Amino acid sequence: MTEKQPAPANDSEPPPGGVGRPSLFGLTDETLVTWLGERGHQRFRAGQVLEWVYRHGAGTFDEMTNLSKSLRAELAASMTLFESRIAAKSESRDSTTKLLLRWSDRSTSECVLIPDDQRRTACISTQVGCPVGCLFCASGLDGLQRNLTSAQIVEQAMRVAQLCAPERLTNIVFMGLGEPLANYAATVAATRTINAAWGPNVGARKITVSTVGLPSQMRRLADEGLQITLALSLHAPDDALRRRLIPWAETVSIDDLVAAARYYFDSTTREVTLEYILLGGVNDQPQHAHQLSTLCKRMRSNVNLIPYNPVPTLPYRRPADDAQHGFLLLLRERGINAHLRRSRGLDISAACGQLRRQAASRK
Ligand code: SF4
């Protein structure tokens, strides 16, 4: 292992910037036009500012050299660009890079760059901690601290964009800390900004929102008119096992999720991706593959098998490689469109929540 230990978070540092000032990442092109218009500036200035931020990756207003000095000063006095500080950074041998960001209230969240052939994917968080508490996940161990704002969600994407510059981000997955649909308004607002031509301009079909399954919010998302991918974290093919792994499954049956997934497909024509973390000896047996294939045939879906990234202190293990491939084969033999996701960043604790817990335990 060539793990680069994350730089320790330094609590003697001043807090990150932006206290009390709104973030530019929370504005749309129209709200920025309005803000500038109220101060006597012309409409085209908004385009210039957004181009600096989202095309050139400007980190400060001072870099926006085609704006007057007085406008730059006005912007800097009124709003913030990057609120967070990078509290820790870990880079894997496979180039997966994880950042721990510290916000102005000193809370922390994680985001990850996953480079892969032609793709550069940012995995971002929607909450500080997570309220769901899946038994195999580091993020859920300490519960929910707070929601991230839409600006903070977009800022994570831009922090990851800085890592891959001058190349551009190609994909966004909302699979970091938190349950995106439990922070619905901020998740949708951030998605619209990330997708916008004036923003990071990541194609809607390259954006994936992952949920543990909130049927009413899945339907609401279907009606937003976005062409994004919905990923449903299933992790078990029947209610009894699912409820042992995911506390929120206690009140939501798989039948409810199938109905919501069918609604999503009917409204968007986008297949739902079923995420299935393979936990050795728990949900990776042949009967589970058979049950899962039967379930898949009830909706238009594809399956993403994710070998578990072990979390120290948790009693779950990653299945052996041949068990993973055997499970995949059983699904494919039954005509299911299934893929086994290649594990990335294993040497940097890339399972979500682990870097955050390491930094917290050092304090
Ligand atoms: S797996 Fe996802 S939903 Fe479950 S606790 Fe972790 S972050 Fe939350």
Side-chain angles (χ1 to χ4, degrees), residues 150-169:
S150 64
Q152 289 168 335
I153 297 170
V154 173
E155 179 169 328
Q156 291 173 78
M158 295 311 295
R159 282 289 189 204
V160 176
Q162 287 178 327
L163 292 176
C164 57
E167 302 294 339
R168 302 191 51 137
L169 278 183

PDB file of all heavy atoms in Angstrom, residues 150-169:
ATOM      1  N   SER A 150     -27.335  24.485  -1.422  1.00  0.00           N
ATOM      2  CA  SER A 150     -27.073  24.216  -2.846  1.00  0.00           C
ATOM      3  C   SER A 150     -25.715  24.789  -3.236  1.00  0.00           C
ATOM      4  O   SER A 150     -24.978  24.196  -4.026  1.00  0.00           O
ATOM      5  CB  SER A 150     -28.184  24.799  -3.721  1.00  0.00           C
ATOM      6  OG  SER A 150     -28.212  26.193  -3.622  1.00  0.00           O
ATOM      7  N   ALA A 151     -25.361  25.955  -2.678  1.00  0.00           N
ATOM      8  CA  ALA A 151     -24.065  26.567  -3.001  1.00  0.00           C
ATOM      9  C   ALA A 151     -22.918  25.655  -2.569  1.00  0.00           C
ATOM     10  O   ALA A 151     -21.916  25.504  -3.285  1.00  0.00           O
ATOM     11  CB  ALA A 151     -23.942  27.925  -2.310  1.00  0.00           C
ATOM     12  N   GLN A 152     -23.055  25.045  -1.398  1.00  0.00           N
ATOM     13  CA  GLN A 152     -21.976  24.171  -0.911  1.00  0.00           C
ATOM     14  C   GLN A 152     -21.883  22.890  -1.749  1.00  0.00           C
ATOM     15  O   GLN A 152     -20.795  22.347  -1.926  1.00  0.00           O
ATOM     16  CB  GLN A 152     -22.207  23.848   0.568  1.00  0.00           C
ATOM     17  CG  GLN A 152     -21.969  25.065   1.454  1.00  0.00           C
ATOM     18  CD  GLN A 152     -22.455  24.889   2.888  1.00  0.00           C
ATOM     19  OE1 GLN A 152     -23.351  24.091   3.163  1.00  0.00           O
ATOM     20  NE2 GLN A 152     -21.858  25.625   3.799  1.00  0.00           N
ATOM     21  N   ILE A 153     -23.026  22.440  -2.253  1.00  0.00           N
ATOM     22  CA  ILE A 153     -22.992  21.249  -3.123  1.00  0.00           C
ATOM     23  C   ILE A 153     -22.280  21.590  -4.434  1.00  0.00           C
ATOM     24  O   ILE A 153     -21.410  20.857  -4.905  1.00  0.00           O
ATOM     25  CB  ILE A 153     -24.426  20.728  -3.369  1.00  0.00           C
ATOM     26  CG1 ILE A 153     -25.064  20.277  -2.043  1.00  0.00           C
ATOM     27  CG2 ILE A 153     -24.412  19.565  -4.356  1.00  0.00           C
ATOM     28  CD1 ILE A 153     -26.557  19.963  -2.145  1.00  0.00           C
ATOM     29  N   VAL A 154     -22.616  22.758  -5.010  1.00  0.00           N
ATOM     30  CA  VAL A 154     -21.949  23.170  -6.255  1.00  0.00           C
ATOM     31  C   VAL A 154     -20.457  23.412  -5.990  1.00  0.00           C
ATOM     32  O   VAL A 154     -19.598  23.047  -6.803  1.00  0.00           O
ATOM     33  CB  VAL A 154     -22.603  24.455  -6.827  1.00  0.00           C
ATOM     34  CG1 VAL A 154     -21.812  24.979  -8.029  1.00  0.00           C
ATOM     35  CG2 VAL A 154     -24.054  24.185  -7.221  1.00  0.00           C
ATOM     36  N   GLU A 155     -20.148  24.016  -4.838  1.00  0.00           N
ATOM     37  CA  GLU A 155     -18.737  24.299  -4.529  1.00  0.00           C
ATOM     38  C   GLU A 155     -17.901  23.018  -4.503  1.00  0.00           C
ATOM     39  O   GLU A 155     -16.753  23.006  -4.945  1.00  0.00           O
ATOM     40  CB  GLU A 155     -18.623  25.048  -3.198  1.00  0.00           C
ATOM     41  CG  GLU A 155     -17.168  25.351  -2.830  1.00  0.00           C
ATOM     42  CD  GLU A 155     -17.011  26.320  -1.677  1.00  0.00           C
ATOM     43  OE1 GLU A 155     -17.878  27.208  -1.521  1.00  0.00           O
ATOM     44  OE2 GLU A 155     -16.012  26.200  -0.936  1.00  0.00           O
ATOM     45  N   GLN A 156     -18.482  21.936  -4.006  1.00  0.00           N
ATOM     46  CA  GLN A 156     -17.736  20.666  -4.026  1.00  0.00           C
ATOM     47  C   GLN A 156     -17.374  20.274  -5.458  1.00  0.00           C
ATOM     48  O   GLN A 156     -16.261  19.836  -5.726  1.00  0.00           O
ATOM     49  CB  GLN A 156     -18.580  19.553  -3.417  1.00  0.00           C
ATOM     50  CG  GLN A 156     -18.811  19.660  -1.940  1.00  0.00           C
ATOM     51  CD  GLN A 156     -19.807  18.595  -1.523  1.00  0.00           C
ATOM     52  OE1 GLN A 156     -19.459  17.427  -1.395  1.00  0.00           O
ATOM     53  NE2 GLN A 156     -21.046  18.984  -1.353  1.00  0.00           N
ATOM     54  N   ALA A 157     -18.361  20.405  -6.363  1.00  0.00           N
ATOM     55  CA  ALA A 157     -18.085  20.063  -7.761  1.00  0.00           C
ATOM     56  C   ALA A 157     -16.941  20.930  -8.286  1.00  0.00           C
ATOM     57  O   ALA A 157     -16.063  20.443  -9.019  1.00  0.00           O
ATOM     58  CB  ALA A 157     -19.339  20.247  -8.607  1.00  0.00           C
ATOM     59  N   MET A 158     -16.924  22.206  -7.889  1.00  0.00           N
ATOM     60  CA  MET A 158     -15.876  23.103  -8.382  1.00  0.00           C
ATOM     61  C   MET A 158     -14.522  22.817  -7.725  1.00  0.00           C
ATOM     62  O   MET A 158     -13.479  23.005  -8.340  1.00  0.00           O
ATOM     63  CB  MET A 158     -16.291  24.565  -8.163  1.00  0.00           C
ATOM     64  CG  MET A 158     -17.504  24.982  -8.976  1.00  0.00           C
ATOM     65  SD  MET A 158     -17.364  24.526 -10.736  1.00  0.00           S
ATOM     66  CE  MET A 158     -15.978  25.547 -11.243  1.00  0.00           C
ATOM     67  N   ARG A 159     -14.533  22.362  -6.472  1.00  0.00           N
ATOM     68  CA  ARG A 159     -13.275  21.937  -5.837  1.00  0.00           C
ATOM     69  C   ARG A 159     -12.695  20.739  -6.607  1.00  0.00           C
ATOM     70  O   ARG A 159     -11.492  20.658  -6.838  1.00  0.00           O
ATOM     71  CB  ARG A 159     -13.515  21.537  -4.373  1.00  0.00           C
ATOM     72  CG  ARG A 159     -13.655  22.702  -3.406  1.00  0.00           C
ATOM     73  CD  ARG A 159     -12.334  23.385  -3.199  1.00  0.00           C
ATOM     74  NE  ARG A 159     -12.362  24.378  -2.138  1.00  0.00           N
ATOM     75  CZ  ARG A 159     -11.513  25.395  -2.063  1.00  0.00           C
ATOM     76  NH1 ARG A 159     -10.576  25.555  -2.991  1.00  0.00           N
ATOM     77  NH2 ARG A 159     -11.577  26.247  -1.080  1.00  0.00           N
ATOM     78  N   VAL A 160     -13.571  19.819  -6.993  1.00  0.00           N
ATOM     79  CA  VAL A 160     -13.095  18.650  -7.749  1.00  0.00           C
ATOM     80  C   VAL A 160     -12.666  19.087  -9.149  1.00  0.00           C
ATOM     81  O   VAL A 160     -11.667  18.600  -9.687  1.00  0.00           O
ATOM     82  CB  VAL A 160     -14.180  17.551  -7.802  1.00  0.00           C
ATOM     83  CG1 VAL A 160     -13.720  16.376  -8.662  1.00  0.00           C
ATOM     84  CG2 VAL A 160     -14.514  17.064  -6.393  1.00  0.00           C
ATOM     85  N   ALA A 161     -13.398  20.053  -9.731  1.00  0.00           N
ATOM     86  CA  ALA A 161     -13.014  20.566 -11.054  1.00  0.00           C
ATOM     87  C   ALA A 161     -11.611  21.167 -10.998  1.00  0.00           C
ATOM     88  O   ALA A 161     -10.828  21.030 -11.946  1.00  0.00           O
ATOM     89  CB  ALA A 161     -14.033  21.607 -11.527  1.00  0.00           C
ATOM     90  N   GLN A 162     -11.274  21.817  -9.884  1.00  0.00           N
ATOM     91  CA  GLN A 162      -9.922  22.377  -9.743  1.00  0.00           C
ATOM     92  C   GLN A 162      -8.867  21.272  -9.796  1.00  0.00           C
ATOM     93  O   GLN A 162      -7.776  21.472 -10.318  1.00  0.00           O
ATOM     94  CB  GLN A 162      -9.790  23.113  -8.400  1.00  0.00           C
ATOM     95  CG  GLN A 162     -10.520  24.455  -8.334  1.00  0.00           C
ATOM     96  CD  GLN A 162     -10.388  25.106  -6.960  1.00  0.00           C
ATOM     97  OE1 GLN A 162     -10.321  24.427  -5.935  1.00  0.00           O
ATOM     98  NE2 GLN A 162     -10.372  26.423  -6.935  1.00  0.00           N
ATOM     99  N   LEU A 163      -9.222  20.093  -9.252  1.00  0.00           N
ATOM    100  CA  LEU A 163      -8.256  18.979  -9.234  1.00  0.00           C
ATOM    101  C   LEU A 163      -7.950  18.480 -10.633  1.00  0.00           C
ATOM    102  O   LEU A 163      -6.860  17.992 -10.890  1.00  0.00           O
ATOM    103  CB  LEU A 163      -8.812  17.809  -8.407  1.00  0.00           C
ATOM    104  CG  LEU A 163      -8.959  17.992  -6.901  1.00  0.00           C
ATOM    105  CD1 LEU A 163      -9.608  16.750  -6.289  1.00  0.00           C
ATOM    106  CD2 LEU A 163      -7.604  18.246  -6.257  1.00  0.00           C
ATOM    107  N   CYS A 164      -8.953  18.530 -11.530  1.00  0.00           N
ATOM    108  CA  CYS A 164      -8.694  17.940 -12.852  1.00  0.00           C
ATOM    109  C   CYS A 164      -8.401  18.987 -13.922  1.00  0.00           C
ATOM    110  O   CYS A 164      -8.164  18.619 -15.076  1.00  0.00           O
ATOM    111  CB  CYS A 164      -9.806  16.983 -13.269  1.00  0.00           C
ATOM    112  SG  CYS A 164     -11.442  17.651 -13.329  1.00  0.00           S
ATOM    113  N   ALA A 165      -8.397  20.275 -13.577  1.00  0.00           N
ATOM    114  CA  ALA A 165      -8.077  21.319 -14.553  1.00  0.00           C
ATOM    115  C   ALA A 165      -6.693  21.060 -15.151  1.00  0.00           C
ATOM    116  O   ALA A 165      -5.804  20.579 -14.441  1.00  0.00           O
ATOM    117  CB  ALA A 165      -8.116  22.681 -13.869  1.00  0.00           C
ATOM    118  N   PRO A 166      -6.463  21.344 -16.429  1.00  0.00           N
ATOM    119  CA  PRO A 166      -7.358  22.039 -17.364  1.00  0.00           C
ATOM    120  C   PRO A 166      -8.425  21.143 -17.997  1.00  0.00           C
ATOM    121  O   PRO A 166      -9.240  21.629 -18.756  1.00  0.00           O
ATOM    122  CB  PRO A 166      -6.392  22.560 -18.439  1.00  0.00           C
ATOM    123  CG  PRO A 166      -5.310  21.522 -18.479  1.00  0.00           C
ATOM    124  CD  PRO A 166      -5.173  21.016 -17.066  1.00  0.00           C
ATOM    125  N   GLU A 167      -8.379  19.827 -17.711  1.00  0.00           N
ATOM    126  CA  GLU A 167      -9.467  18.977 -18.207  1.00  0.00           C
ATOM    127  C   GLU A 167     -10.740  19.355 -17.459  1.00  0.00           C
ATOM    128  O   GLU A 167     -10.679  19.854 -16.336  1.00  0.00           O
ATOM    129  CB  GLU A 167      -9.149  17.490 -17.961  1.00  0.00           C
ATOM    130  CG  GLU A 167      -7.861  17.003 -18.582  1.00  0.00           C
ATOM    131  CD  GLU A 167      -7.904  17.033 -20.094  1.00  0.00           C
ATOM    132  OE1 GLU A 167      -9.023  17.040 -20.651  1.00  0.00           O
ATOM    133  OE2 GLU A 167      -6.835  17.069 -20.711  1.00  0.00           O
ATOM    134  N   ARG A 168     -11.877  19.045 -18.085  1.00  0.00           N
ATOM    135  CA  ARG A 168     -13.147  19.424 -17.465  1.00  0.00           C
ATOM    136  C   ARG A 168     -13.814  18.213 -16.827  1.00  0.00           C
ATOM    137  O   ARG A 168     -13.587  17.085 -17.235  1.00  0.00           O
ATOM    138  CB  ARG A 168     -14.075  20.020 -18.517  1.00  0.00           C
ATOM    139  CG  ARG A 168     -13.436  21.238 -19.189  1.00  0.00           C
ATOM    140  CD  ARG A 168     -14.453  21.933 -19.989  1.00  0.00           C
ATOM    141  NE  ARG A 168     -15.623  22.179 -19.147  1.00  0.00           N
ATOM    142  CZ  ARG A 168     -16.288  23.301 -19.136  1.00  0.00           C
ATOM    143  NH1 ARG A 168     -15.908  24.271 -19.881  1.00  0.00           N
ATOM    144  NH2 ARG A 168     -17.349  23.441 -18.381  1.00  0.00           N
ATOM    145  N   LEU A 169     -14.650  18.487 -15.834  1.00  0.00           N
ATOM    146  CA  LEU A 169     -15.455  17.416 -15.251  1.00  0.00           C
ATOM    147  C   LEU A 169     -16.409  16.891 -16.313  1.00  0.00           C
ATOM    148  O   LEU A 169     -16.991  17.673 -17.064  1.00  0.00           O
ATOM    149  CB  LEU A 169     -16.308  17.949 -14.107  1.00  0.00           C
ATOM    150  CG  LEU A 169     -15.687  18.112 -12.737  1.00  0.00           C
ATOM    151  CD1 LEU A 169     -16.755  18.593 -11.769  1.00  0.00           C
ATOM    152  CD2 LEU A 169     -15.084  16.813 -12.256  1.00  0.00           C
TER     153      LEU A 169
END
